[in-house]
Amino acid sequence: MPTLIRPSSRPRNPCFSSGPCAKRPGWSSAVLDGALVGRSHRSRPGKARLKDVIDRSANLLGLPTDYRLAIVPASDTGALELALWSLLGVRGIDALAWESFGWGWVSDIKGQLGLEDVRVIEADYGELPDLGRVDPERDIVFTWNGTTSGVRVPDSEWIADNRAGLTICDATSAVFATHLPWHKLDVVTYSWQKVMGGEAAHGVIILGPRAVERLENHNPPWPVPKIFRLTKDGKLIEAIFEGTTINTPSMLCVEDALDGLGWAERIGGLDALVARSEANLASIADWAERTSWVDFLARNPATRSSTSVCLRIVDPWFDELSTDAQSEVPSRIEALLDAEGVAYDINGYRDAPPGLRIWAGATVETNDLVTLFPWLDWAYTIAKHELEAVS
Ligand SMILES: Cc1ncc(COP(=O)(O)O)c(C=O)c1O
């Protein structure tokens, strides 16, 4: 066994999960003390809180005034499914996929909605598909940041300003971590559980004017469940965008979302949130640069995610292992660091190539990452030694 120096300090917050993500620095359950529990969400104070989330989110994100934001059921999945079920079927679709979630949307578009004019523009884990193939005459469904591969689109140049189709963007791991180009995006969805470190359960949908126009003029040929319905008699239900939710939200989650927004406002708004993620990515890149056994899964540095950072193991010893044995390496690293209380939930996604995934969104402190790095080296050395011993 090589000599191993056990790091002496531990991250203050060992939460590096890619969702639900770390709570904001300084969070405690006391922030929920004033939650409007036991009261109707349709009461005056209930609606006021929901409207507060809507207004402050739109403000923080710098939404154009003609964009609308609503709180909808079922986290990001609910928000994105709502968009697919309500909007698709008018034009052909270019569905982009380069990791698990993107492929999931493709399977719903084709398998559940049964749409046939669908071009799947895809790439394997670590790569981005050829964005130049996207046709502005068609609807485009894509994920801004692929959480399970750590690959994000580097910009929005590939989306035409004068497109005829709609862009429907699952941005759950990108919102609040990047400056999104709203004029290029007709529908954006996310969940509070990601960059803001909030709770899941509720999703957010943002609609640009072209998406609203489609909603008001398109009657999908399939049944649309009540929890996906944003229109009545061909008109947008404006009240949903003012805090009258489709069904009952958790006012505890709402209170928590307000706490997250308050924190973001206090630290300097969107610029500060983006800067925190980018600083975290830079610190991981710096460590990976000087660490021989690890590299980014994202092949092109311009596509590296600043939130869901996915790492592959590049040690020649590792390459020689069977896939099962390779999977064992990050599993052991995760278990070792979990047992030490140093890092939780850092194994890569189950469908991704074996590796590590470390959340680097705004609620994660750079110092905690810097403290984590020597522990990763320590755990890797132990995992490798253990596996060498049994092979
Ligand atoms: C890119 C992406 N899309 C969708 C989801 C599903 O989100 P939720 O579980 O909040 O519905 C996730 C969750 O990690 C995700 O990362």
Side-chain angles (χ1 to χ4, degrees):
M1 177 94 169
T3 322
L4 266 186
I5 302 173
R6 185 196 188 79
S8 50
S9 55
R10 289 175 163 70
R12 285 179 61 176
N13 185 354
C15 295
F16 298 103
S17 149
S18 291
C21 303
K23 299 306 249 183
R24 58 130 174 129
W27 184 93
S28 84
S29 56
V31 306
L32 305 176
D33 283 354
L36 197 76
V37 292
R39 291 287 313 270
S40 168
H41 60 296
R42 303 201 192 279
S43 66
R44 190 196 289 257
K47 259 198 227 162
R49 288 193 197 201
L50 290 157
K51 178 82 163 69
D52 207 18
V53 175
I54 291 173
D55 289 346
R56 287 164 69 187
S57 304
N59 194 33
L60 198 62
L61 291 170
L63 280 195
T65 48
D66 55 352
Y67 275 57
R68 294 174 171 84
L69 185 151
I71 300 162
V72 296
S75 208
D76 179 62
T77 310
L80 206 278
E81 293 281 1
L82 185 160
L84 301 182
W85 285 67
S86 305
L87 294 165
L88 294 184
V90 176
R91 292 173 173 271
I93 298 153
D94 281 355
L96 276 59
W98 57 91
E99 51 81 62
S100 180
F101 287 103
W103 283 312
W105 306 138
V106 169
S107 121
D108 280 5
I109 293 166
K110 292 173 66 163
Q112 299 300 318
L113 297 181
L115 289 167
E116 281 170 6
D117 185 5
V118 182
R119 295 197 310 168
V120 183
I121 303 178
E122 59 186 337
D124 206 353
Y125 278 91
E127 310 280 352
L128 256 191
D130 180 1
L131 302 175
R133 287 185 56 206
V134 162
D135 178 354
E137 291 300 313
R138 301 163 69 83
D139 290 336
I140 303 167
V141 179
F142 76 105
T143 304
W144 190 281
N145 179 95
T147 319
T148 66
S149 72
V151 172
R152 64 175 167 181
V153 292
D155 55 45
S156 61
E157 298 301 304
W158 51 282
I159 301 174
D161 285 333
N162 61 350
R163 61 195 174 279
L166 295 179
T167 45
I168 299 176
C169 175
D170 169 2
T172 196
S173 292
V175 167
F176 299 114
T178 193
H179 293 277
L180 291 172
W182 297 110
H183 67 291
K184 301 269 193 177
L185 303 172
D186 299 305
V187 180
V188 170
T189 65
Y190 68 91
S191 166
W192 297 332
Q193 59 137 331
K194 296 286 186 185
V195 179
M196 296 297 270
E199 294 300 298
H202 308 302
V204 171
I205 189 163
I206 295 172
L207 299 178
R210 300 177 62 248
V212 172
E213 194 201 345
R214 170 80 64 88
L215 269 176
E216 293 188 330
N217 291 294
H218 171 48
N219 217 345
W222 43 75
V224 176
K226 175 178 174 179
I227 56 164
F228 289 171
R229 259 180 265 146
L230 292 180
T231 56
K232 186 157 189 255
D233 302 329
K235 277 278 160 225
L236 194 71
I237 309 173
E238 295 283 355
I240 296 177
F241 301 85
E242 298 289 323
T244 304
T245 47
I246 300 172
N247 67 338
T248 312
S250 154
M251 297 310 282
L252 276 174
C253 296
V254 168
E255 198 66 16
D256 190 62
L258 285 171
D259 172 71
L261 290 164
W263 168 71
E265 290 157 359
R266 285 195 299 280
I267 64 167
L270 184 61
D271 287 347
L273 295 173
V274 172
R276 285 175 67 89
S277 285
E278 291 295 336
N280 286 343
L281 170 60
S283 83
I284 298 175
D286 183 54
W287 169 70
E289 181 73 25
R290 49 191 165 78
T291 304
S292 61
W293 60 271
V294 89
D295 197 0
F296 284 82
L297 183 56
R299 302 279 164 173
N300 175 355
T303 67
R304 285 177 188 166
S305 165
S306 64
T307 54
S308 58
V309 177
C310 295
L311 300 167
R312 63 198 174 97
I313 295 166
V314 291
D315 189 336
W317 162 79
F318 181 83
D319 290 340
E320 299 298 316
L321 300 176
S322 66
T323 311
D324 280 354
Q326 285 187 340
S327 301
E328 191 57 27
V329 179
S331 292
R332 283 189 188 217
I333 295 174
E334 181 182 55
L336 280 162
L337 296 184
D338 183 305
E340 291 284 346
V342 162
Y344 301 138
D345 313 322
I346 60 166
N347 199 349
Y349 192 72
R350 58 180 182 271
D351 298 336
L356 298 170
R357 183 171 58 159
I358 300 170
W359 186 254
T363 54
V364 171
E365 300 274 30
T366 308
N367 257 342
D368 282 344
L369 287 167
V370 171
T371 312
L372 170 65
F373 300 144
W375 283 101
L376 290 169
D377 292 327
W378 175 83
Y380 178 68
T381 310
I382 294 182
K384 180 174 175 179
H385 177 78
E386 286 175 356
L387 284 166
E388 278 173 337
V390 293
S391 63

